[in-house]
Amino acid sequence: SNDTSNLTAYRPFINQVCSLKIVCGTDKELFRKKINDAWTEYNNKNQFNISSSDYYFDYNIIDGNYLINDIELAYHTWKTNPYSSDVNFNDFCEYILPYKRAKGLPIENWREHFSSITPKGILSNDSLSIKAYCDSLLFLYKDFNLDYIIPKKIPILKVEDFESTKNGLCSQKAWLNNMLLASHGIACATDFVPAWGNRAERHSWNVVLHNDTSFAYDPFWEEERWKNKYLYNNLTYDGYWGEFRLPKVYRYTYSAHIEGPITDNRVELSNVPGVFKDVHKIDVSHEYFSSQDVEINITNKIPDDTYYCYLCVFGLWGWRPVQWGEIKNNKVVFKQMGKDIIYLPCFYKSDEYIPAANPILLKTDGSVLKLEPDLENTEQVVANKFRPQYPFVGDGIKKISGSKIEAADNLKFDLPEHIYTLPDTMLYGINIHYLDHPVNERFMRIVFPPNSGELLELQFYTKNKKGDLVKVSGNVCCSDSLSMQNVSKAFDSVNATGFVYDVNKGEQKWIGLDFGQKTEIDAIGFSPGVNPSFISGYEYELFYWNDGWVSVGAKLGEGEILTYENVPENALLMLTKTRLNPRKLIKKHRVFLYQNGEQVWF
């Protein structure tokens, strides 16, 4: 437990937080600015250091009467709540009974507190579904907000502090939710991804265990709450957030589950990554997505006294471990890995990750692509993004949603056949849509909505004998008033360049292909326009991975695209961004592959 007697020094600042929140209302940026200014002024006067707080082992300070009362309350709610009748004794001990929900939290009478604020009538209504019942409790804290600023300024440790600030991190709101639901006999846990497979940082969320099923939801209130199993299945994407790719999902537990390198007395504790020093967790990846074991042949020299290897994904500050495997005969197997993710096998020695072999892409179909740079064969890379763009950024998707794909046997498109209407949710990059049935015509086009039109790529595909998609070429055709040079950019197989036209008369335009003869089309591909990514005053350097990052060269941010020559094929790539005056590296880069003229981000 954290020694909260030392934390009384920041209580006056919490009062300021509450006042500022009322003054600023819904203006988050103003709220953050005032919080930062207030903290600077407050800390200059008090010189309070949050890292100076002491910690105690609970068995030295916990009171027996507290434990007895806490156990009796936990047992009573488990046995009297009709929504807990299916919870077995093991889950009760793991997710309802524990007096604490996270390390470092002080010992509090939180069960009594949450029971006292619950509106009367909730417990007596057993006609609700388990989700609706939990929502009736979670709704009490719907005005809590995700915020990365306040937790860095003051430690959110006690329930009363969280209830005062109403701002915190996902991991903090998760333990509050756990306490709230456990105080009513509901088995609730925290699941987490140690590092995303296609974006920076990590994430925590809650899961309710009921009738041998887990129901996952994000900690902070939102109307569509119970969608995490859909968001985190490594197959779908969200119309606002885009794709989520998870290499592993773990669940925090109260009991210890000791496994892996920490159990091996040959391994020094300093040579075990932090995530695998924590034994209070279990692997629950199978509850979210289809996984696959990955076998790696170690090609690099194994350091002395090294018995384990770690499979890593690329994070905000470099490679981050998500799974371990024991080295046997220069091979290592990593269990139950998420697909559609790039991994790098590494050794770990004294806080340093050392590559064990080349990175790999574990594809959606379970096959493995080894990313070994071909130094003999190089290619030109045309980039239009420094990092991936998500659907909630920019209006490129809006500009083509509602566009219609049509087919005809003549260039005038007399009596065209409607094939598909582009949806209002899609990803930035090439979206492939398989047709319900093949179309066999000579001409195909896209008709843009009035006052709109911006498209990086339009592609048509047929299937070969193996069932694989093969892109079909043809002669470009378009509305009479359009420039053929401009239109051809949508068919040049380079996703960084595209067709854009200035609409000022409410005209409706179209572009398409003449295949020369009737051709069977089984799928279409389309890529919306993106926001300009390269900014004047910044330098963008391209790297490829070859047992470390190797520079291809740097270019100034001028124009909407940057072109790099002599880039090894089949290489894992990364663009970095550096501000020139004053010089500072911007740590927001991601890794990508260059495939078929497109930056494919991971």
Side-chain angles (χ1 to χ4, degrees):
S1 290
N2 191 301
D3 177 16
T4 54
S5 63
N6 186 34
L7 303 181
T8 56
Y10 72 76
R11 283 277 151 63
F13 180 69
I14 286 185
N15 293 332
Q16 281 186 274
V17 170
C18 298
S19 300
L20 289 173
K21 189 172 181 64
I22 295 173
V23 171
C24 298
T26 58
D27 192 334
K28 292 184 179 180
E29 291 305 317
L30 178 62
F31 178 57
R32 289 189 178 191
K33 181 181 184 304
K34 286 188 175 294
I35 285 293
N36 281 319
D37 293 343
W39 175 256
T40 300
E41 180 181 354
Y42 179 79
N43 201 35
N44 286 340
K45 292 180 181 178
N46 298 277
Q47 294 299 309
F48 175 63
N49 183 8
I50 63 174
S51 64
S52 65
S53 298
D54 294 324
Y55 291 85
Y56 298 104
F57 288 110
D58 285 358
Y59 64 77
N60 288 328
I61 61 172
I62 200 165
D63 179 75
N65 290 327
Y66 166 85
L67 272 182
I68 292 171
N69 182 61
D70 191 71
I71 290 170
E72 289 181 344
L73 286 173
Y75 185 84
H76 175 74
T77 56
W78 174 42
K79 287 301 183 182
T80 58
N81 191 333
Y83 292 93
S84 304
S85 60
D86 70 295
V87 177
N88 61 46
F89 183 70
N90 287 334
D91 283 347
F92 164 74
C93 290
E94 194 71 77
Y95 303 114
I96 298 176
L97 176 62
Y99 68 97
K100 181 169 289 188
R101 299 292 139 165
K103 293 180 181 179
L105 297 182
I107 297 170
E108 295 186 272
N109 290 310
W110 51 269
R111 291 188 206 272
E112 293 179 347
H113 170 74
F114 287 119
S115 297
S116 67
I117 65 172
T118 303
K120 294 181 179 180
I122 287 182
L123 283 178
S124 61
N125 185 0
D126 59 359
S127 63
L128 300 173
S129 68
I130 184 64
K131 293 179 182 179
Y133 172 73
C134 290
D135 276 347
S136 67
L137 296 172
L138 297 167
F139 187 79
L140 300 172
Y141 291 89
K142 66 179 178 62
D143 56 344
F144 277 47
N145 299 305
L146 172 65
D147 195 289
Y148 295 96
I149 301 299
I150 292 178
K152 294 181 180 178
K153 304 301 182 185
I154 56 175
I156 304 296
L157 296 171
K158 301 191 75 173
V159 172
E160 63 181 288
D161 296 338
F162 209 168
E163 290 179 334
S164 296
T165 62
K166 296 185 179 182
N167 287 267
L169 301 174
C170 291
S171 56
Q172 294 168 325
K173 186 59 164 56
W175 59 250
L176 186 80
N177 293 343
N178 285 345
M179 288 179 173
L180 173 63
L181 296 186
S183 69
H184 294 87
I186 299 298
C188 184
T190 298
D191 289 357
F192 71 98
V193 54
W196 293 112
N198 66 334
R199 53 184 72 202
E201 299 295 350
R202 52 181 289 166
H203 184 44
S204 302
W205 60 92
N206 289 109
V207 58
V208 170
L209 308 176
H210 181 72
N211 283 338
D212 296 322
T213 304
S214 61
F215 302 94
Y217 64 94
D218 267 0
F220 291 94
W221 182 267
E222 56 182 341
E223 292 303 320
E224 191 181 353
R225 299 185 48 68
W226 303 88
K227 62 181 180 180
N228 280 17
K229 289 292 186 74
Y230 171 80
L231 282 181
Y232 300 156
N233 63 10
N234 282 351
L235 293 173
T236 56
Y237 70 89
D238 180 73
Y240 182 81
W241 293 107
E243 293 177 309
F244 291 95
R245 294 296 178 260
L246 295 80
K248 298 295 295 181
V249 179
Y250 295 103
R251 178 168 298 156
Y252 286 119
T253 61
Y254 182 77
S255 61
H257 300 267
I258 305 173
E259 61 177 1
I262 200 169
T263 67
D264 195 330
N265 55 20
R266 299 173 299 172
V267 181
E268 295 184 12
L269 194 60
S270 61
N271 292 331
V272 179
V275 67
F276 300 116
K277 290 178 183 176
D278 186 353
V279 298
H280 296 274
K281 67 180 187 306
I282 56 175
D283 187 347
V284 292
S285 301
H286 63 280
E287 294 185 16
Y288 289 87
F289 50 77
S290 171
S291 62
Q292 181 168 313
D293 294 351
V294 176
E295 183 178 270
I296 298 290
N297 291 316
I298 295 176
T299 56
N300 295 350
K301 184 178 183 299
I302 301 175
D304 294 338
D305 301 321
T306 299
Y307 309 97
Y308 291 85
C309 194
Y310 301 92
L311 205 55
C312 302
V313 295
F314 190 78
L316 185 60
W317 304 106
W319 295 102
R320 290 292 175 263
V322 293
Q323 179 62 302
W324 59 269
E326 187 174 3
I327 301 171
K328 296 180 180 180
N329 300 321
N330 276 10
K331 293 184 178 181
V332 59
V333 176
F334 299 100
K335 297 290 187 179
Q336 298 182 20
M337 303 309 303
K339 302 172 186 177
D340 196 20
I341 296 172
I342 286 176
Y343 295 104
L344 178 71
C346 288
F347 310 115
Y348 183 76
K349 301 286 284 188
S350 303
D351 203 30
E352 180 183 1
Y353 292 95
I354 305 167
N358 287 312
I360 63 166
L361 167 61
L362 180 58
K363 296 182 179 181
T364 305
D365 63 3
S367 61
V368 173
L369 173 64
K370 296 180 180 179
L371 300 175
E372 182 176 359
D374 188 343
L375 303 180
E376 299 297 325
N377 296 292
T378 61
E379 62 183 339
Q380 180 188 77
V381 170
V382 182
N384 66 344
K385 295 298 297 177
F386 153 64
R387 55 178 173 165
Q389 183 168 318
Y390 301 109
F392 60 84
V393 179
D395 58 359
I397 293 175
K398 294 179 182 178
K399 290 182 178 180
I400 63 169
S401 62
S403 298
K404 299 184 184 302
I405 304 295
E406 297 179 342
D409 60 2
N410 62 88
L411 183 57
K412 292 183 178 181
F413 281 85
D414 295 329
L415 300 175
E417 178 186 357
H418 176 259
I419 304 301
Y420 179 64
T421 300
L422 271 59
D424 56 3
T425 59
M426 64 184 78
L427 296 173
Y428 284 102
I430 296 178
N431 298 259
I432 295 180
H433 172 74
Y434 289 84
L435 302 180
D436 294 334
H437 55 82
V439 174
N440 195 11
E441 289 291 1
R442 174 175 172 176
F443 299 90
M444 291 196 73
R445 70 177 182 179
I446 181 171
V447 182
F448 298 106
N451 302 314
S452 184
E454 183 174 331
L455 189 70
L456 295 183
E457 277 291 309
L458 179 62
Q459 300 176 352
F460 300 100
Y461 305 91
T462 188
K463 290 182 180 179
N464 61 17
K465 293 181 179 180
K466 295 181 179 179
D468 300 326
L469 292 182
V470 178
K471 191 167 68 170
V472 179
S473 59
N475 294 319
V476 176
C477 52
C478 60
S479 300
D480 293 339
S481 60
L482 295 179
S483 163
M484 192 63 70
Q485 182 179 3
N486 186 15
V487 173
S488 63
K489 293 179 182 178
F491 302 96
D492 61 2
S493 298
V494 178
N495 197 48
T497 62
F499 161 75
V500 180
Y501 76 90
D502 183 22
V503 181
N504 52 21
K505 297 181 181 179
E507 297 175 304
Q508 192 170 38
K509 303 294 183 180
W510 63 269
I511 63 175
L513 287 182
D514 173 6
F515 304 128
Q517 59 183 3
K518 284 192 173 185
T519 302
E520 183 176 293
I521 300 299
D522 296 284
I524 57 173
F526 47 92
S527 179
V530 298
N531 288 356
S533 184
F534 302 119
I535 306 171
S536 177
Y538 289 82
E539 180 182 77
Y540 300 87
E541 189 169 6
L542 182 66
F543 294 83
Y544 68 89
W545 182 267
N546 190 15
D547 277 340
W549 293 112
V550 181
S551 176
V552 173
K555 292 182 178 290
L556 296 178
E558 299 173 350
E560 295 184 357
I561 64 172
L562 292 177
T563 302
Y564 298 86
E565 306 290 346
N566 301 317
V567 182
E569 294 181 357
N570 195 48
L572 179 62
L573 304 174
M574 175 183 69
L575 273 169
T576 63
K577 177 182 178 181
T578 304
R579 187 175 62 201
L580 296 180
N581 188 22
R583 193 169 184 85
K584 179 184 178 181
L585 180 65
I586 309 300
K587 279 280 191 176
K588 293 183 178 179
H589 37 263
R590 294 296 308 163
V591 294
F592 66 95
L593 301 179
Y594 195 68
Q595 296 178 327
N596 301 317
E598 179 186 10
Q599 288 176 277
V600 182
W601 294 95
F602 294 90

